[in-house]
Amino acid sequence: MIFFVAVVAQFLPEGHSVLGATLLLGAVDAVIAAGWLLLVVVCAGRLLRRLRRPRVHRTPERTTGGG
């Protein structure tokens, strides 16, 4: 939040509503952040599915002598 407030001032257009422009930039930032987090969740879910396969469990067990 502090970073946003410190950086957003240089992107505000002159002659326009400061509040409106700040809210617009905040909304754009929120949409980008939500998209990024959605991408992370999807990729993590796919990776977790692959890591839960039986073959993935057997390989470390055999490598370390535990299975």
Side-chain angles (χ1 to χ4, degrees):
M1 168 102 177
I2 294 173
F3 178 77
F4 180 78
V5 172
V7 173
V8 77
Q10 64 186 338
F11 296 106
L12 295 176
E14 290 187 33
H16 289 81
S17 168
V18 173
L19 179 63
T22 303
L23 290 176
L24 177 64
L25 290 174
V28 169
D29 184 44
V31 168
I32 291 171
W36 170 251
L37 291 175
L38 182 63
L39 179 67
V40 169
V41 166
V42 169
C43 291
R46 288 182 181 176
L47 181 62
L48 187 61
R49 242 182 315 183
R50 287 185 178 160
L51 290 175
R52 286 186 173 166
R53 293 185 307 195
R55 180 178 177 191
V56 175
H57 283 282
R58 278 193 311 262
T59 303
E61 290 293 328
R62 288 181 180 169
T63 304
T64 60

